[in-house]
Amino acid sequence: MIVLDSSVIKKFFPHILLIIYVVLFLLCSVNPKDKTVWIAENLTVLLVVLPLVFTYKKFRFSNIAYFLMSIWIYMHTIGGHYTFKDVPFDFVNNLFGWERNNYDRIAHFSVGFYAYAIAEFLDRKKLVNSNVIMFLFPIFSIFTVAAIYEIIEWLAVIYMDPEAGLDYVSAQGDIWDAQKDMLSDGLGSIFATSLYFFIRKKETK
């Protein structure tokens, strides 16, 4: 029986998260519901994963930051396999009495978790001298990315196959889907930034 020391796990935690992603990617690449949607969704994930891998030696985020960022990566990879509206999520939807499959909404909330890494980067690089700016900048950044992403989704629906495009945006008939997605991203960023400041305060005591 192999017992890993906690210090080893701590040191290689980002590598463990990456291995989990690779395994999940391979599993979800088998018979996806819609190949066009699968390609589009996974390209989005790779645009996040690859920069994190290639910049790892230059700037290593905390394990908490990597863990929070991995949540969206995993959820998006799974969503690409099923399409977000068809991810098996009934146990959660039924628990909260949701008629709509809100898997995608929770995934959008996890997008906001990247605000933790942004705040950490600003703090460790000493790029700002104001705690107010350090708190607001990550939140504003996530809201900006969320808005740009919704525009990209809109353009994708126009240029992709109509049915695949609708699966890609996962609006599920809600005319306010884009606005609710952006709000979910923003709320996630407020949570993540608040968490960073809470942990930072405890570590400096």
Side-chain angles (χ1 to χ4, degrees):
M1 182 178 178
I2 300 175
V3 179
L4 294 177
D5 185 82
S6 60
S7 62
V8 174
I9 295 176
K10 184 177 180 180
K11 180 180 179 181
F12 292 102
F13 188 69
H15 302 80
I16 295 171
L17 294 176
L18 180 61
I19 291 171
I20 293 173
Y21 163 68
V22 172
V23 172
L24 184 62
F25 172 81
L26 293 175
L27 291 174
C28 290
S29 67
V30 179
N31 297 322
K33 180 180 177 182
D34 189 299
K35 288 186 178 179
T36 302
V37 174
W38 181 82
I39 292 172
E41 300 290 9
N42 281 280
L43 282 176
T44 304
V45 174
L46 287 175
L47 287 174
V48 174
V49 172
L50 292 179
L52 288 174
V53 171
F54 291 134
T55 61
Y56 175 78
K57 290 185 177 180
K58 292 184 178 180
F59 187 89
R60 187 193 190 285
F61 290 100
S62 67
N63 285 344
I64 296 176
Y66 282 119
F67 171 73
L68 289 172
M69 288 189 284
S70 70
I71 294 174
W72 173 81
I73 292 171
Y74 298 157
M75 292 192 72
H76 210 82
T77 303
I78 294 170
H81 175 82
Y82 290 100
T83 74
F84 279 89
K85 69 182 181 65
D86 292 323
V87 173
F89 206 56
D90 288 343
F91 68 100
V92 176
N93 292 321
N94 293 336
L95 179 65
F96 291 96
W98 294 332
E99 295 182 7
R100 179 190 189 279
N101 187 346
N102 277 324
Y103 179 87
D104 69 316
R105 204 79 78 205
I106 295 175
H108 271 282
F109 186 81
S110 71
V111 170
F113 294 171
Y114 282 74
Y116 188 101
I118 296 173
E120 184 175 273
F121 183 82
L122 293 175
D123 193 12
R124 284 168 53 186
K125 287 290 186 178
K126 301 188 184 305
L127 296 177
V128 294
N129 295 320
S130 168
N131 282 335
V132 174
I133 295 177
M134 192 187 300
F135 184 84
L136 292 178
F137 185 84
I139 296 171
F140 291 165
S141 298
I142 295 298
F143 267 114
T144 301
V145 171
I148 293 173
Y149 190 78
E150 292 301 326
I151 293 172
I152 292 173
E153 282 194 333
W154 164 56
L155 293 174
V157 172
I158 295 175
Y159 292 105
M160 288 171 66
D161 172 73
E163 186 174 344
L166 289 174
D167 283 339
Y168 177 59
V169 300
S170 189
Q172 300 183 54
D174 186 351
I175 62 172
W176 302 110
D177 180 70
Q179 288 80 2
K180 292 177 182 177
D181 285 348
M182 288 187 284
L183 176 61
S184 296
D185 295 330
L187 291 175
S189 71
I190 293 171
F191 165 78
T193 308
S194 299
L195 178 63
Y196 178 77
F197 271 76
F198 174 76
I199 294 176
R200 178 172 174 255
K201 185 177 181 180
K202 286 189 65 177
E203 289 178 345
T204 54
K205 280 186 177 181

